[in-house]
Amino acid sequence: MSLEQLKAFLTAIRSDRVLYDKVSLAATAGDIAEIAGELGFQFTGEELKAISNQEISGVKIKSQDTTPSYNFGEAGN
């Protein structure tokens, strides 16, 4: 991974509200990497996840659990 590419993307997020909103709506790290790729930044979702819970270029990278929490009768129903 190019940490410099990731830092540049995070800096772009801070200065571009439309980009920030688009990234905020992304469901996965892969989706964020795809958005970044469309703008010429090169890193993968896995590389983005590898730096979760760190603050880089003034942006805190947070990992979110988006695992479905449905119960389909597992409690004997």
Side-chain angles (χ1 to χ4, degrees):
M1 163 181 54
S2 171
L3 187 55
E4 292 307 313
Q5 287 280 305
L6 189 48
K7 285 180 181 181
F9 179 67
L10 296 175
T11 298
I13 290 172
R14 289 181 49 211
S15 63
D16 184 335
R17 183 62 188 198
V18 173
L19 178 58
Y20 174 85
D21 290 342
K22 188 173 183 178
V23 168
S24 294
L25 294 173
T28 67
D31 292 342
I32 294 170
E34 187 174 316
I35 292 166
E38 291 170 2
L39 299 171
F41 299 97
Q42 297 181 348
F43 57 87
T44 67
E46 290 300 317
E47 291 168 330
L48 180 58
K49 288 192 298 188
I51 63 161
S52 65
N53 298 320
Q54 295 182 37
E55 185 168 327
I56 298 175
S57 298
V59 177
K60 176 79 173 177
I61 311 300
K62 294 184 201 177
S63 176
Q64 296 180 349
D65 180 9
T66 58
T67 307
S69 59
Y70 304 113
N71 181 333
F72 293 106
E74 296 155 13
N77 295 331

Short mmCIF file of all heavy atoms in Angstrom, two decimals:
data_model
loop_
_atom_site.label_atom_id
_atom_site.label_comp_id
_atom_site.label_asym_id
_atom_site.label_seq_id
_atom_site.Cartn_x
_atom_site.Cartn_y
_atom_site.Cartn_z
N MET A 1 0.84 -1.18 0.00
CA MET A 1 0.00 0.00 0.00
C MET A 1 0.87 1.23 0.00
O MET A 1 1.91 1.27 0.62
CB MET A 1 -0.89 0.02 1.25
CG MET A 1 -1.47 1.39 1.52
SD MET A 1 -2.52 1.60 2.96
CE MET A 1 -1.57 0.99 4.30
N SER A 2 0.41 2.21 -0.68
CA SER A 2 1.06 3.50 -0.62
C SER A 2 0.38 4.33 0.46
O SER A 2 -0.73 4.82 0.27
CB SER A 2 0.97 4.22 -1.96
OG SER A 2 1.42 5.55 -1.80
N LEU A 3 1.04 4.44 1.58
CA LEU A 3 0.48 5.25 2.66
C LEU A 3 0.31 6.69 2.20
O LEU A 3 -0.64 7.37 2.61
CB LEU A 3 1.39 5.17 3.89
CG LEU A 3 0.85 5.82 5.16
CD1 LEU A 3 -0.52 5.27 5.53
CD2 LEU A 3 1.82 5.64 6.30
N GLU A 4 1.17 7.12 1.31
CA GLU A 4 1.05 8.49 0.78
C GLU A 4 -0.25 8.66 -0.01
O GLU A 4 -0.89 9.70 0.06
CB GLU A 4 2.27 8.84 -0.07
CG GLU A 4 3.55 8.97 0.72
CD GLU A 4 3.43 9.92 1.91
OE1 GLU A 4 2.91 11.04 1.73
OE2 GLU A 4 3.86 9.54 3.01
N GLN A 5 -0.63 7.64 -0.78
CA GLN A 5 -1.89 7.68 -1.53
C GLN A 5 -3.07 7.78 -0.57
O GLN A 5 -3.99 8.56 -0.78
CB GLN A 5 -2.04 6.42 -2.39
CG GLN A 5 -1.15 6.37 -3.59
CD GLN A 5 -1.70 7.21 -4.73
OE1 GLN A 5 -2.82 7.01 -5.16
NE2 GLN A 5 -0.91 8.15 -5.19
N LEU A 6 -3.03 6.98 0.48
CA LEU A 6 -4.09 6.99 1.47
C LEU A 6 -4.17 8.32 2.19
O LEU A 6 -5.26 8.88 2.38
CB LEU A 6 -3.88 5.84 2.45
CG LEU A 6 -5.01 5.55 3.42
CD1 LEU A 6 -6.36 5.47 2.73
CD2 LEU A 6 -4.72 4.28 4.17
N LYS A 7 -3.02 8.87 2.57
CA LYS A 7 -3.00 10.18 3.23
C LYS A 7 -3.57 11.26 2.32
O LYS A 7 -4.33 12.12 2.76
CB LYS A 7 -1.56 10.55 3.63
CG LYS A 7 -1.05 9.81 4.82
CD LYS A 7 0.38 10.25 5.14
CE LYS A 7 0.96 9.52 6.31
NZ LYS A 7 2.32 9.97 6.64
N ALA A 8 -3.21 11.22 1.06
CA ALA A 8 -3.71 12.22 0.11
C ALA A 8 -5.23 12.10 -0.04
O ALA A 8 -5.93 13.11 -0.11
CB ALA A 8 -3.02 12.04 -1.25
N PHE A 9 -5.75 10.87 -0.07
CA PHE A 9 -7.19 10.68 -0.17
C PHE A 9 -7.89 11.22 1.08
O PHE A 9 -8.91 11.89 0.99
CB PHE A 9 -7.51 9.20 -0.37
CG PHE A 9 -8.98 8.92 -0.45
CD1 PHE A 9 -9.74 9.37 -1.51
CD2 PHE A 9 -9.62 8.19 0.55
CE1 PHE A 9 -11.10 9.12 -1.59
CE2 PHE A 9 -10.97 7.93 0.49
CZ PHE A 9 -11.72 8.40 -0.58
N LEU A 10 -7.33 10.94 2.25
CA LEU A 10 -7.93 11.43 3.49
C LEU A 10 -7.91 12.95 3.56
O LEU A 10 -8.84 13.57 4.05
CB LEU A 10 -7.22 10.80 4.69
CG LEU A 10 -7.37 9.28 4.80
CD1 LEU A 10 -6.53 8.76 5.95
CD2 LEU A 10 -8.83 8.88 4.96
N THR A 11 -6.85 13.55 3.05
CA THR A 11 -6.79 15.01 2.98
C THR A 11 -7.88 15.54 2.04
O THR A 11 -8.54 16.53 2.34
CB THR A 11 -5.40 15.47 2.50
OG1 THR A 11 -4.42 15.03 3.46
CG2 THR A 11 -5.32 16.97 2.36
N ALA A 12 -8.09 14.85 0.92
CA ALA A 12 -9.14 15.25 -0.02
C ALA A 12 -10.51 15.17 0.63
O ALA A 12 -11.36 16.05 0.41
CB ALA A 12 -9.08 14.37 -1.27
N ILE A 13 -10.74 14.14 1.44
CA ILE A 13 -12.02 14.01 2.13
C ILE A 13 -12.27 15.21 3.04
O ILE A 13 -13.38 15.72 3.12
CB ILE A 13 -12.05 12.70 2.96
CG1 ILE A 13 -12.12 11.50 2.05
CG2 ILE A 13 -13.25 12.70 3.92
CD1 ILE A 13 -11.96 10.19 2.77
N ARG A 14 -11.23 15.64 3.72
CA ARG A 14 -11.37 16.77 4.65
C ARG A 14 -11.74 18.07 3.94
O ARG A 14 -12.40 18.92 4.52
CB ARG A 14 -10.08 16.97 5.44
CG ARG A 14 -9.87 15.87 6.45
CD ARG A 14 -8.62 16.05 7.27
NE ARG A 14 -8.51 17.39 7.81
CZ ARG A 14 -7.37 18.02 8.05
NH1 ARG A 14 -6.23 17.42 7.78
NH2 ARG A 14 -7.35 19.21 8.55
N SER A 15 -11.32 18.22 2.70
CA SER A 15 -11.53 19.49 2.01
C SER A 15 -12.67 19.46 0.99
O SER A 15 -12.97 20.50 0.40
CB SER A 15 -10.23 19.92 1.31
OG SER A 15 -9.87 18.97 0.32
N ASP A 16 -13.30 18.31 0.80
CA ASP A 16 -14.36 18.18 -0.22
C ASP A 16 -15.60 17.56 0.43
O ASP A 16 -15.67 16.36 0.63
CB ASP A 16 -13.85 17.32 -1.37
CG ASP A 16 -14.84 17.19 -2.51
OD1 ASP A 16 -16.06 17.35 -2.29
OD2 ASP A 16 -14.38 16.91 -3.63
N ARG A 17 -16.58 18.41 0.74
CA ARG A 17 -17.78 17.94 1.45
C ARG A 17 -18.56 16.90 0.63
O ARG A 17 -19.10 15.95 1.20
CB ARG A 17 -18.67 19.14 1.79
CG ARG A 17 -19.90 18.79 2.57
CD ARG A 17 -19.51 18.20 3.90
NE ARG A 17 -20.68 17.68 4.59
CZ ARG A 17 -20.71 17.43 5.87
NH1 ARG A 17 -19.65 17.64 6.61
NH2 ARG A 17 -21.78 16.95 6.43
N VAL A 18 -18.64 17.06 -0.66
CA VAL A 18 -19.36 16.09 -1.50
C VAL A 18 -18.68 14.72 -1.41
O VAL A 18 -19.34 13.69 -1.26
CB VAL A 18 -19.46 16.59 -2.96
CG1 VAL A 18 -20.03 15.51 -3.86
CG2 VAL A 18 -20.28 17.86 -3.03
N LEU A 19 -17.36 14.71 -1.49
CA LEU A 19 -16.61 13.47 -1.38
C LEU A 19 -16.79 12.88 0.02
O LEU A 19 -17.01 11.67 0.17
CB LEU A 19 -15.12 13.71 -1.67
CG LEU A 19 -14.20 12.50 -1.53
CD1 LEU A 19 -14.64 11.36 -2.44
CD2 LEU A 19 -12.76 12.91 -1.82
N TYR A 20 -16.74 13.70 1.03
CA TYR A 20 -16.95 13.24 2.41
C TYR A 20 -18.30 12.56 2.55
O TYR A 20 -18.41 11.47 3.11
CB TYR A 20 -16.84 14.42 3.38
CG TYR A 20 -17.18 14.05 4.80
CD1 TYR A 20 -16.21 13.51 5.64
CD2 TYR A 20 -18.46 14.23 5.31
CE1 TYR A 20 -16.51 13.16 6.94
CE2 TYR A 20 -18.77 13.88 6.60
CZ TYR A 20 -17.80 13.35 7.42
OH TYR A 20 -18.10 12.99 8.71
N ASP A 21 -19.34 13.19 2.02
CA ASP A 21 -20.68 12.61 2.10
C ASP A 21 -20.76 11.29 1.36
O ASP A 21 -21.38 10.33 1.82
CB ASP A 21 -21.72 13.59 1.56
CG ASP A 21 -21.92 14.80 2.46
OD1 ASP A 21 -21.54 14.74 3.65
OD2 ASP A 21 -22.46 15.81 1.97
N LYS A 22 -20.12 11.21 0.20
CA LYS A 22 -20.13 9.98 -0.59
C LYS A 22 -19.43 8.85 0.15
O LYS A 22 -19.93 7.73 0.22
CB LYS A 22 -19.45 10.23 -1.94
CG LYS A 22 -19.56 9.10 -2.92
CD LYS A 22 -19.01 9.49 -4.28
CE LYS A 22 -19.19 8.38 -5.29
NZ LYS A 22 -18.71 8.76 -6.62
N VAL A 23 -18.29 9.15 0.75
CA VAL A 23 -17.54 8.15 1.51
C VAL A 23 -18.32 7.74 2.76
O VAL A 23 -18.34 6.57 3.14
CB VAL A 23 -16.13 8.67 1.86
CG1 VAL A 23 -15.45 7.79 2.89
CG2 VAL A 23 -15.28 8.78 0.60
N SER A 24 -19.00 8.69 3.38
CA SER A 24 -19.76 8.39 4.59
C SER A 24 -20.90 7.41 4.32
O SER A 24 -21.31 6.66 5.21
CB SER A 24 -20.34 9.67 5.19
OG SER A 24 -19.30 10.51 5.64
N LEU A 25 -21.41 7.39 3.10
CA LEU A 25 -22.49 6.49 2.73
C LEU A 25 -22.01 5.13 2.25
O LEU A 25 -22.81 4.21 2.08
CB LEU A 25 -23.37 7.13 1.64
CG LEU A 25 -24.13 8.38 2.06
CD1 LEU A 25 -24.83 9.02 0.87
CD2 LEU A 25 -25.13 8.06 3.17
N ALA A 26 -20.72 4.99 2.05
CA ALA A 26 -20.16 3.73 1.56
C ALA A 26 -20.34 2.65 2.62
O ALA A 26 -20.17 2.89 3.81
CB ALA A 26 -18.68 3.90 1.23
N ALA A 27 -20.69 1.45 2.17
CA ALA A 27 -20.98 0.35 3.10
C ALA A 27 -19.74 -0.41 3.55
O ALA A 27 -19.72 -0.94 4.65
CB ALA A 27 -21.97 -0.61 2.45
N THR A 28 -18.72 -0.45 2.70
CA THR A 28 -17.55 -1.27 3.04
C THR A 28 -16.26 -0.51 2.72
O THR A 28 -16.26 0.47 1.97
CB THR A 28 -17.52 -2.58 2.22
OG1 THR A 28 -17.33 -2.26 0.84
CG2 THR A 28 -18.81 -3.37 2.41
N ALA A 29 -15.17 -1.02 3.26
CA ALA A 29 -13.85 -0.45 2.95
C ALA A 29 -13.57 -0.60 1.46
O ALA A 29 -12.95 0.27 0.85
CB ALA A 29 -12.77 -1.13 3.78
N GLY A 30 -14.03 -1.70 0.87
CA GLY A 30 -13.86 -1.90 -0.57
C GLY A 30 -14.58 -0.84 -1.38
O GLY A 30 -14.07 -0.37 -2.40
N ASP A 31 -15.77 -0.45 -0.91
CA ASP A 31 -16.52 0.62 -1.59
C ASP A 31 -15.75 1.94 -1.52
O ASP A 31 -15.70 2.69 -2.49
CB ASP A 31 -17.90 0.81 -0.95
CG ASP A 31 -18.83 -0.37 -1.18
OD1 ASP A 31 -18.57 -1.18 -2.10
OD2 ASP A 31 -19.82 -0.47 -0.43
N ILE A 32 -15.15 2.21 -0.37
CA ILE A 32 -14.37 3.44 -0.21
C ILE A 32 -13.16 3.41 -1.13
O ILE A 32 -12.84 4.40 -1.79
CB ILE A 32 -13.95 3.65 1.26
CG1 ILE A 32 -15.20 3.89 2.12
CG2 ILE A 32 -12.95 4.80 1.39
CD1 ILE A 32 -14.94 3.88 3.61
N ALA A 33 -12.48 2.27 -1.19
CA ALA A 33 -11.32 2.13 -2.08
C ALA A 33 -11.72 2.32 -3.53
O ALA A 33 -10.97 2.91 -4.32
CB ALA A 33 -10.65 0.77 -1.87
N GLU A 34 -12.92 1.85 -3.89
CA GLU A 34 -13.40 2.03 -5.26
C GLU A 34 -13.66 3.50 -5.56
O GLU A 34 -13.30 4.00 -6.63
CB GLU A 34 -14.69 1.23 -5.45
CG GLU A 34 -15.17 1.21 -6.88
CD GLU A 34 -16.37 0.29 -7.06
OE1 GLU A 34 -16.36 -0.83 -6.51
OE2 GLU A 34 -17.31 0.71 -7.75
N ILE A 35 -14.25 4.21 -4.62
CA ILE A 35 -14.47 5.66 -4.78
C ILE A 35 -13.12 6.35 -4.96
O ILE A 35 -12.95 7.18 -5.84
CB ILE A 35 -15.22 6.24 -3.57
CG1 ILE A 35 -16.66 5.71 -3.53
CG2 ILE A 35 -15.20 7.77 -3.59
CD1 ILE A 35 -17.38 5.96 -2.21
N ALA A 36 -12.16 5.99 -4.12
CA ALA A 36 -10.82 6.58 -4.20
C ALA A 36 -10.19 6.28 -5.56
O ALA A 36 -9.57 7.15 -6.17
CB ALA A 36 -9.94 6.06 -3.07
N GLY A 37 -10.35 5.04 -6.03
CA GLY A 37 -9.78 4.64 -7.31
C GLY A 37 -10.33 5.45 -8.47
O GLY A 37 -9.61 5.78 -9.41
N GLU A 38 -11.62 5.79 -8.39
CA GLU A 38 -12.24 6.62 -9.44
C GLU A 38 -11.59 8.00 -9.51
O GLU A 38 -11.64 8.66 -10.54
CB GLU A 38 -13.74 6.76 -9.17
CG GLU A 38 -14.51 5.48 -9.35
CD GLU A 38 -15.94 5.56 -8.85
OE1 GLU A 38 -16.37 6.64 -8.38
OE2 GLU A 38 -16.64 4.53 -8.91
N LEU A 39 -10.98 8.41 -8.40
CA LEU A 39 -10.33 9.71 -8.34
C LEU A 39 -8.81 9.61 -8.53
O LEU A 39 -8.10 10.61 -8.39
CB LEU A 39 -10.65 10.39 -7.00
CG LEU A 39 -12.14 10.65 -6.76
CD1 LEU A 39 -12.37 11.12 -5.33
CD2 LEU A 39 -12.66 11.67 -7.75
N GLY A 40 -8.33 8.40 -8.81
CA GLY A 40 -6.91 8.23 -9.08
C GLY A 40 -6.06 7.80 -7.89
O GLY A 40 -4.85 7.67 -8.01
N PHE A 41 -6.67 7.55 -6.74
CA PHE A 41 -5.94 7.09 -5.57
C PHE A 41 -5.90 5.57 -5.60
O PHE A 41 -6.87 4.93 -5.96
CB PHE A 41 -6.62 7.57 -4.28
CG PHE A 41 -6.68 9.06 -4.15
CD1 PHE A 41 -7.84 9.75 -4.51
CD2 PHE A 41 -5.60 9.79 -3.69
CE1 PHE A 41 -7.92 11.12 -4.40
CE2 PHE A 41 -5.67 11.18 -3.57
CZ PHE A 41 -6.82 11.84 -3.93
N GLN A 42 -4.76 4.99 -5.21
CA GLN A 42 -4.60 3.55 -5.32
C GLN A 42 -4.32 2.91 -3.97
O GLN A 42 -3.21 3.01 -3.45
CB GLN A 42 -3.50 3.23 -6.31
CG GLN A 42 -3.83 3.70 -7.71
CD GLN A 42 -2.73 3.36 -8.68
OE1 GLN A 42 -1.64 2.98 -8.31
NE2 GLN A 42 -3.03 3.50 -9.97
N PHE A 43 -5.34 2.26 -3.43
CA PHE A 43 -5.21 1.41 -2.26
C PHE A 43 -6.44 0.50 -2.24
O PHE A 43 -7.43 0.77 -2.90
CB PHE A 43 -5.08 2.21 -0.96
CG PHE A 43 -6.21 3.17 -0.69
CD1 PHE A 43 -7.35 2.76 -0.03
CD2 PHE A 43 -6.12 4.49 -1.11
CE1 PHE A 43 -8.40 3.65 0.21
CE2 PHE A 43 -7.15 5.39 -0.87
CZ PHE A 43 -8.29 4.96 -0.21
N THR A 44 -6.36 -0.58 -1.49
CA THR A 44 -7.46 -1.55 -1.44
C THR A 44 -8.25 -1.39 -0.15
O THR A 44 -7.80 -0.75 0.81
CB THR A 44 -6.93 -3.00 -1.50
OG1 THR A 44 -6.21 -3.27 -0.29
CG2 THR A 44 -6.05 -3.23 -2.72
N GLY A 45 -9.42 -2.01 -0.14
CA GLY A 45 -10.23 -2.02 1.07
C GLY A 45 -9.50 -2.71 2.21
O GLY A 45 -9.58 -2.27 3.36
N GLU A 46 -8.79 -3.77 1.89
CA GLU A 46 -8.02 -4.48 2.93
C GLU A 46 -6.93 -3.58 3.52
O GLU A 46 -6.68 -3.61 4.72
CB GLU A 46 -7.40 -5.76 2.36
CG GLU A 46 -8.41 -6.84 2.05
CD GLU A 46 -9.21 -7.29 3.27
OE1 GLU A 46 -8.61 -7.49 4.34
OE2 GLU A 46 -10.44 -7.45 3.14
N GLU A 47 -6.30 -2.80 2.68
CA GLU A 47 -5.27 -1.88 3.16
C GLU A 47 -5.90 -0.80 4.04
O GLU A 47 -5.32 -0.42 5.06
CB GLU A 47 -4.52 -1.27 1.99
CG GLU A 47 -3.68 -2.30 1.25
CD GLU A 47 -3.14 -1.80 -0.07
OE1 GLU A 47 -3.80 -0.97 -0.74
OE2 GLU A 47 -2.05 -2.26 -0.45
N LEU A 48 -7.07 -0.34 3.66
CA LEU A 48 -7.77 0.66 4.47
C LEU A 48 -8.15 0.07 5.82
O LEU A 48 -7.95 0.70 6.87
CB LEU A 48 -9.00 1.16 3.72
CG LEU A 48 -9.85 2.21 4.43
CD1 LEU A 48 -9.03 3.46 4.77
CD2 LEU A 48 -11.05 2.58 3.57
N LYS A 49 -8.65 -1.17 5.82
CA LYS A 49 -9.02 -1.81 7.09
C LYS A 49 -7.80 -2.02 7.98
O LYS A 49 -7.91 -2.00 9.19
CB LYS A 49 -9.72 -3.13 6.83
CG LYS A 49 -11.12 -2.95 6.29
CD LYS A 49 -11.95 -4.22 6.30
CE LYS A 49 -11.40 -5.30 5.45
NZ LYS A 49 -12.32 -6.46 5.32
N ALA A 50 -6.64 -2.23 7.38
CA ALA A 50 -5.42 -2.48 8.15
C ALA A 50 -5.02 -1.29 9.01
O ALA A 50 -4.30 -1.44 9.99
CB ALA A 50 -4.27 -2.86 7.22
N ILE A 51 -5.49 -0.10 8.65
CA ILE A 51 -5.13 1.08 9.44
C ILE A 51 -6.31 1.58 10.28
O ILE A 51 -6.28 2.68 10.81
CB ILE A 51 -4.61 2.23 8.55
CG1 ILE A 51 -5.69 2.70 7.58
CG2 ILE A 51 -3.34 1.83 7.84
CD1 ILE A 51 -5.43 4.06 7.03
N SER A 52 -7.35 0.74 10.43
CA SER A 52 -8.51 1.17 11.20
C SER A 52 -8.10 1.49 12.63
O SER A 52 -7.13 0.96 13.17
CB SER A 52 -9.60 0.12 11.18
OG SER A 52 -9.20 -1.05 11.83
N ASN A 53 -8.84 2.39 13.22
CA ASN A 53 -8.63 2.90 14.58
C ASN A 53 -7.36 3.75 14.69
O ASN A 53 -6.83 3.92 15.78
CB ASN A 53 -8.63 1.77 15.60
CG ASN A 53 -9.97 1.08 15.63
OD1 ASN A 53 -11.02 1.72 15.55
ND2 ASN A 53 -9.96 -0.23 15.70
N GLN A 54 -6.90 4.26 13.58
CA GLN A 54 -5.78 5.20 13.59
C GLN A 54 -6.27 6.54 13.07
O GLN A 54 -7.28 6.63 12.40
CB GLN A 54 -4.66 4.71 12.68
CG GLN A 54 -4.01 3.43 13.15
CD GLN A 54 -2.86 3.03 12.24
OE1 GLN A 54 -2.13 3.87 11.74
NE2 GLN A 54 -2.71 1.74 12.02
N GLU A 55 -5.54 7.58 13.40
CA GLU A 55 -5.84 8.90 12.86
C GLU A 55 -4.72 9.28 11.91
O GLU A 55 -3.55 9.31 12.29
CB GLU A 55 -5.97 9.94 13.96
CG GLU A 55 -6.41 11.28 13.43
CD GLU A 55 -6.81 12.26 14.51
OE1 GLU A 55 -7.33 11.83 15.54
OE2 GLU A 55 -6.58 13.45 14.30
N ILE A 56 -5.08 9.52 10.67
CA ILE A 56 -4.11 9.88 9.64
C ILE A 56 -4.61 11.14 8.95
O ILE A 56 -5.77 11.22 8.56
CB ILE A 56 -3.93 8.74 8.62
CG1 ILE A 56 -3.38 7.50 9.33
CG2 ILE A 56 -3.02 9.16 7.48
CD1 ILE A 56 -3.27 6.28 8.46
N SER A 57 -3.74 12.10 8.80
CA SER A 57 -4.08 13.36 8.14
C SER A 57 -5.31 14.01 8.76
O SER A 57 -6.13 14.60 8.08
CB SER A 57 -4.30 13.16 6.64
OG SER A 57 -3.12 12.69 6.04
N GLY A 58 -5.45 13.86 10.07
CA GLY A 58 -6.57 14.50 10.77
C GLY A 58 -7.89 13.78 10.61
O GLY A 58 -8.93 14.29 11.01
N VAL A 59 -7.89 12.57 10.04
CA VAL A 59 -9.12 11.80 9.85
C VAL A 59 -8.99 10.51 10.66
O VAL A 59 -8.02 9.77 10.51
CB VAL A 59 -9.35 11.46 8.36
CG1 VAL A 59 -10.59 10.60 8.19
CG2 VAL A 59 -9.46 12.73 7.53
N LYS A 60 -9.96 10.25 11.51
CA LYS A 60 -9.98 9.02 12.31
C LYS A 60 -10.63 7.92 11.47
O LYS A 60 -11.74 8.06 10.98
CB LYS A 60 -10.78 9.24 13.59
CG LYS A 60 -10.96 8.01 14.44
CD LYS A 60 -9.73 7.72 15.25
CE LYS A 60 -10.04 6.57 16.22
NZ LYS A 60 -8.92 6.18 16.97
N ILE A 61 -9.91 6.82 11.27
CA ILE A 61 -10.41 5.69 10.51
C ILE A 61 -11.10 4.75 11.48
O ILE A 61 -10.48 4.23 12.39
CB ILE A 61 -9.25 4.92 9.81
CG1 ILE A 61 -8.34 5.86 9.05
CG2 ILE A 61 -9.81 3.82 8.92
CD1 ILE A 61 -9.00 6.65 7.97
N LYS A 62 -12.40 4.56 11.30
CA LYS A 62 -13.16 3.70 12.20
C LYS A 62 -13.67 2.48 11.44
O LYS A 62 -14.13 2.60 10.32
CB LYS A 62 -14.38 4.43 12.76
CG LYS A 62 -14.06 5.58 13.66
CD LYS A 62 -15.34 6.13 14.21
CE LYS A 62 -15.19 7.53 14.70
NZ LYS A 62 -16.46 8.09 15.16
N SER A 63 -13.58 1.35 12.08
CA SER A 63 -14.14 0.12 11.52
C SER A 63 -15.52 -0.06 12.13
O SER A 63 -15.71 0.10 13.33
CB SER A 63 -13.24 -1.05 11.90
OG SER A 63 -13.80 -2.25 11.45
N GLN A 64 -16.50 -0.36 11.28
CA GLN A 64 -17.85 -0.56 11.76
C GLN A 64 -18.26 -2.00 11.53
O GLN A 64 -17.96 -2.58 10.49
CB GLN A 64 -18.83 0.36 11.03
CG GLN A 64 -18.57 1.81 11.30
CD GLN A 64 -19.57 2.69 10.56
OE1 GLN A 64 -20.30 2.24 9.70
NE2 GLN A 64 -19.59 3.95 10.90
N ASP A 65 -18.99 -2.56 12.48
CA ASP A 65 -19.53 -3.90 12.32
C ASP A 65 -20.86 -3.78 11.59
O ASP A 65 -21.82 -3.24 12.12
CB ASP A 65 -19.72 -4.56 13.68
CG ASP A 65 -20.28 -5.97 13.56
OD1 ASP A 65 -20.37 -6.49 12.44
OD2 ASP A 65 -20.61 -6.55 14.61
N THR A 66 -20.90 -4.27 10.36
CA THR A 66 -22.12 -4.21 9.58
C THR A 66 -22.71 -5.61 9.38
O THR A 66 -23.52 -5.83 8.50
CB THR A 66 -21.86 -3.57 8.20
OG1 THR A 66 -20.85 -4.34 7.54
CG2 THR A 66 -21.42 -2.13 8.33
N THR A 67 -22.31 -6.53 10.27
CA THR A 67 -22.83 -7.88 10.20
C THR A 67 -24.32 -7.87 10.50
O THR A 67 -24.75 -7.28 11.48
CB THR A 67 -22.11 -8.77 11.24
OG1 THR A 67 -20.71 -8.64 11.06
CG2 THR A 67 -22.53 -10.21 11.11
N PRO A 68 -25.12 -8.53 9.67
CA PRO A 68 -26.56 -8.59 9.96
C PRO A 68 -26.81 -9.27 11.30
O PRO A 68 -26.11 -10.21 11.66
CB PRO A 68 -27.13 -9.45 8.83
CG PRO A 68 -26.08 -9.50 7.79
CD PRO A 68 -24.78 -9.24 8.45
N SER A 69 -27.78 -8.80 12.04
CA SER A 69 -28.07 -9.38 13.34
C SER A 69 -29.49 -9.95 13.37
O SER A 69 -30.22 -9.76 14.31
CB SER A 69 -27.90 -8.32 14.43
OG SER A 69 -28.77 -7.24 14.18
N TYR A 70 -29.85 -10.66 12.32
CA TYR A 70 -31.17 -11.27 12.23
C TYR A 70 -31.20 -12.58 12.98
O TYR A 70 -30.25 -13.33 13.00
CB TYR A 70 -31.55 -11.52 10.77
CG TYR A 70 -31.49 -10.28 9.91
CD1 TYR A 70 -30.55 -10.16 8.92
CD2 TYR A 70 -32.38 -9.23 10.13
CE1 TYR A 70 -30.48 -9.02 8.15
CE2 TYR A 70 -32.34 -8.10 9.36
CZ TYR A 70 -31.37 -7.99 8.36
OH TYR A 70 -31.32 -6.87 7.59
N ASN A 71 -32.33 -12.88 13.57
CA ASN A 71 -32.52 -14.14 14.25
C ASN A 71 -33.59 -14.91 13.49
O ASN A 71 -34.73 -14.47 13.44
CB ASN A 71 -32.95 -13.89 15.70
CG ASN A 71 -33.15 -15.17 16.46
OD1 ASN A 71 -33.46 -16.21 15.91
ND2 ASN A 71 -32.97 -15.10 17.76
N PHE A 72 -33.22 -16.01 12.90
CA PHE A 72 -34.16 -16.80 12.10
C PHE A 72 -34.55 -18.07 12.85
O PHE A 72 -34.36 -19.18 12.39
CB PHE A 72 -33.56 -17.14 10.74
CG PHE A 72 -33.36 -15.94 9.86
CD1 PHE A 72 -32.10 -15.43 9.63
CD2 PHE A 72 -34.45 -15.30 9.28
CE1 PHE A 72 -31.92 -14.32 8.83
CE2 PHE A 72 -34.27 -14.18 8.48
CZ PHE A 72 -33.02 -13.70 8.25
N GLY A 73 -35.10 -17.91 14.02
CA GLY A 73 -35.60 -19.05 14.77
C GLY A 73 -34.52 -19.84 15.48
O GLY A 73 -34.73 -20.98 15.88
N GLU A 74 -33.38 -19.24 15.70
CA GLU A 74 -32.29 -19.95 16.35
C GLU A 74 -32.55 -20.18 17.83
O GLU A 74 -31.92 -20.99 18.46
CB GLU A 74 -30.98 -19.18 16.17
CG GLU A 74 -30.57 -19.11 14.71
CD GLU A 74 -29.70 -17.91 14.42
OE1 GLU A 74 -29.22 -17.27 15.36
OE2 GLU A 74 -29.50 -17.62 13.24
N ALA A 75 -33.54 -19.49 18.38
CA ALA A 75 -33.84 -19.63 19.80
C ALA A 75 -34.95 -20.67 20.03
O ALA A 75 -35.62 -20.66 21.03
CB ALA A 75 -34.26 -18.28 20.38
N GLY A 76 -35.16 -21.55 19.06
CA GLY A 76 -36.15 -22.60 19.21
C GLY A 76 -37.50 -22.23 18.64
O GLY A 76 -38.48 -22.92 18.85
N ASN A 77 -37.60 -21.14 17.92
CA ASN A 77 -38.88 -20.75 17.33
C ASN A 77 -39.07 -21.36 15.97
O ASN A 77 -38.26 -21.56 15.20
CB ASN A 77 -38.96 -19.22 17.21
CG ASN A 77 -38.96 -18.54 18.57
OD1 ASN A 77 -39.42 -19.12 19.53
ND2 ASN A 77 -38.46 -17.34 18.61
#
